[in-house]
Amino acid sequence: MKVTYQGETGAYSEMAVYKFFGNKAEPVPCKDFHDVFESVKTGAVLNGVIPIENSIEGSVNQNYDLFLNYDLKVCGEVAVKLAHVLIANPQTIFEDIKTIHSHPQALGQCRNYLEKHTWALHPEYDTAGSVKMIKEKQLSNAAAIASEKAADLYNMKIVARDIADNPSNYTRFLVLSHNDADPTGDDKTSIIFSAKHAPGTLYNVLGEFASRNINLTRIESRPTKTTPWQYNFYIDFEGHKTEKRCIETMQALEKYAVFIKIIGSYSRVI
Amino acid sequence: MKVTYQGETGAYSEMAVYKFFGNKAEPVPCKDFHDVFESVKTGAVLNGVIPIENSIEGSVNQNYDLFLNYDLKVCGEVAVKLAHVLIANPQTIFEDIKTIHSHPQALGQCRNYLEKHTWALHPEYDTAGSVKMIKEKQLSNAAAIASEKAADLYNMKIVARDIADNPSNYTRFLVLSHNDADPTGDDKTSIIFSAKHAPGTLYNVLGEFASRNINLTRIESRPTKTTPWQYNFYIDFEGHKTEKRCIETMQALEKYAVFIKIIGSYSRVI
């Protein structure tokens, strides 16, 4: 069962694939998030897994934006605990490290630790990919930030542990598909909402949820990109889109909306 | 009159300094946003200018987060139109370009153009800094994305213009100080709000603004970083904190808040 994810073998996204699909999964690495959406769209794979939000660094904006361009559904969510370690080639001496390579979010999550040293930070496209790169280039003055699993996979040395500013560091991933999931009784629905430009619209929108006792679990805004300082709202709320209270809410929102796009109902994890 | 900004001479942040303070400004470049906050805090400079939001790529998360750690005020805002060009050393031939260097937001803003080529993208800490770097290293297979002004300043060649996906590309900057600004009659106030964890809290908070006819111009959420999937809200609204309706709203919010921090009232531009 093929599932695409962004990054290299050993990436946190790959862990998310296994956590959601179990050992029947056959993770397929790809270069960027756009490729994940594209390969699900074309049917090259049935599912893809993308990070949407980290508990320290916040939203993965590019993935929020890609939901506007693709008519794909979210059929599940999964959270993975991130435990960063500092990884180097086996012959590297800690004192010789000059440059640190990792995904910008991982560099951000270890900011306090990194600031205690005079290392140059190099943002890369992936955590595990950074380990692979310093191995392939046999860099002896470099280290990468990634998971312990990535260190093992590439037979590299862990030179420091517990380097994240905050040990409570989770990334929430969404599972992409052509169809969303059937109701389980404990579900969540994600929508994109473009509000008509009028005072108090967001307040009125939230009122439609509140009056039906529907809790919101997340609200995020992203630029429309067409008009500066205008935003689309991404709202996650409790309930499945087939529930009566959710159907009524979606109907009630239409009077405040330029458009509403339901991107999926799925079993709630968080 | 010294004003700090992040980046190198020719950076868009430097343009924001001149646009807000005029020719009396003496812009002082520094390495990162943390340094901008720190130099205003210590009194090394009276003001700093930081980007807070781009009309395409969205919020500059690190600066939102820094407001939590510093007791500085916002005393003004200014928007700068970004017009990216592709810049190379004078001897570089377009067909020889292999790598593109720029700030990740600028790379993101030119995604469609960049995807038409097979260039490797190198995220750097600053747009103008990328121009400086490819000049100093005399890279003949590299180009940088920055402003036309940066090309002029470093005597470099413009090899492509109009490369941004969207010509309507603006960054909004905030001016930092130890004091916010006096009322002008057309003001804005920015607050950070940590909501008590109860259903409908955000709805009730927005209701306090709506019932007093106070328009919100921006609402953004950022992770608290202490508890996963809990958020602080950053709200910008019309009015000066010394206005009666604003004082009453802030008082009314206290019953929903773990904390409220007013980070400034200032003359409204956007």
Side-chain angles (χ1 to χ4, degrees), chain A residues 203, chain B residues 202-212:
Chain A
Y203 171 65
Chain B
L202 183 60
Y203 171 64
N204 291 325
V205 165
L206 299 192
E208 299 293 346
F209 290 98
S211 66
R212 294 176 181 86

Side-chain angles (χ1 to χ4, degrees), chain B residues 95-215:
Chain B
E95 287 68 29
D96 289 344
I97 294 171
K98 298 268 188 300
T99 62
I100 306 293
H101 303 258
S102 195
H103 189 278
Q105 281 219 346
L107 294 172
Q109 288 153 8
C110 301
R111 194 171 288 133
N112 295 346
Y113 173 76
L114 295 172
E115 281 178 355
K116 288 179 194 142
H117 300 83
T118 53
W119 299 325
L121 308 185
H122 289 249
E124 310 285 352
Y125 82 102
D126 177 40
T127 52
S130 305
V131 180
K132 189 180 176 192
M133 186 273 289
I134 66 168
K135 181 189 173 83
E136 286 178 352
K137 293 192 177 171
Q138 283 292 303
L139 300 180
S140 59
N141 298 316
I145 295 174
S147 68
E148 189 166 339
K149 187 182 170 192
D152 290 347
L153 269 169
Y154 295 101
N155 291 313
M156 298 283 273
K157 184 168 72 171
I158 294 173
V159 291
R161 291 172 186 276
D162 301 325
I163 61 173
D165 299 351
N166 188 332
S168 182
N169 185 359
Y170 295 84
T171 294
R172 186 165 66 91
F173 294 84
L174 297 179
V175 184
L176 303 179
S177 167
H178 276 281
N179 304 297
D180 41 4
D182 291 332
T184 66
D186 187 13
D187 302 295
K188 214 157 111 174
T189 298
S190 295
I191 65 169
I192 307 173
F193 180 86
S194 172
K196 285 179 184 164
H197 196 51
T201 302
L202 183 60
Y203 171 64
N204 291 325
V205 165
L206 299 192
E208 299 293 346
F209 290 98
S211 66
R212 294 176 181 86
N213 291 314
I214 298 176
N215 285 329

Side-chain angles (χ1 to χ4, degrees), chain B residues 2-168:
Chain B
K2 287 182 178 174
V3 183
T4 51
Y5 69 97
Q6 185 264 352
E8 297 281 352
T9 303
Y12 290 108
S13 290
E14 189 194 43
M15 294 183 198
V17 171
Y18 282 120
K19 189 167 174 185
F20 190 84
F21 290 98
N23 287 329
K24 67 179 187 289
E26 188 188 326
V28 180
C30 66
K31 183 81 184 169
D32 60 32
F33 297 136
H34 186 274
D35 292 341
V36 178
F37 278 80
E38 196 64 30
S39 59
V40 177
K41 179 190 170 187
T42 60
V45 294
L46 276 181
N47 298 105
V49 168
I50 52 158
I52 195 71
E53 181 185 17
N54 174 267
S55 63
I56 311 282
E57 292 292 304
S59 296
V60 181
N61 294 334
Q62 197 191 339
N63 283 331
Y64 272 100
D65 291 349
L66 282 165
F67 277 111
L68 269 185
N69 302 338
Y70 285 88
D71 280 325
L72 294 181
K73 296 291 180 189
V74 177
C75 67
E77 68 174 351
V78 59
V80 170
K81 189 174 198 310
L82 275 56
H84 296 316
V85 297
L86 193 66
I87 301 168
N89 277 297
Q91 76 278 15
T92 297
I93 299 161
F94 189 87
E95 287 68 29
D96 289 344
I97 294 171
K98 298 268 188 300
T99 62
I100 306 293
H101 303 258
S102 195
H103 189 278
Q105 281 219 346
L107 294 172
Q109 288 153 8
C110 301
R111 194 171 288 133
N112 295 346
Y113 173 76
L114 295 172
E115 281 178 355
K116 288 179 194 142
H117 300 83
T118 53
W119 299 325
L121 308 185
H122 289 249
E124 310 285 352
Y125 82 102
D126 177 40
T127 52
S130 305
V131 180
K132 189 180 176 192
M133 186 273 289
I134 66 168
K135 181 189 173 83
E136 286 178 352
K137 293 192 177 171
Q138 283 292 303
L139 300 180
S140 59
N141 298 316
I145 295 174
S147 68
E148 189 166 339
K149 187 182 170 192
D152 290 347
L153 269 169
Y154 295 101
N155 291 313
M156 298 283 273
K157 184 168 72 171
I158 294 173
V159 291
R161 291 172 186 276
D162 301 325
I163 61 173
D165 299 351
N166 188 332
S168 182

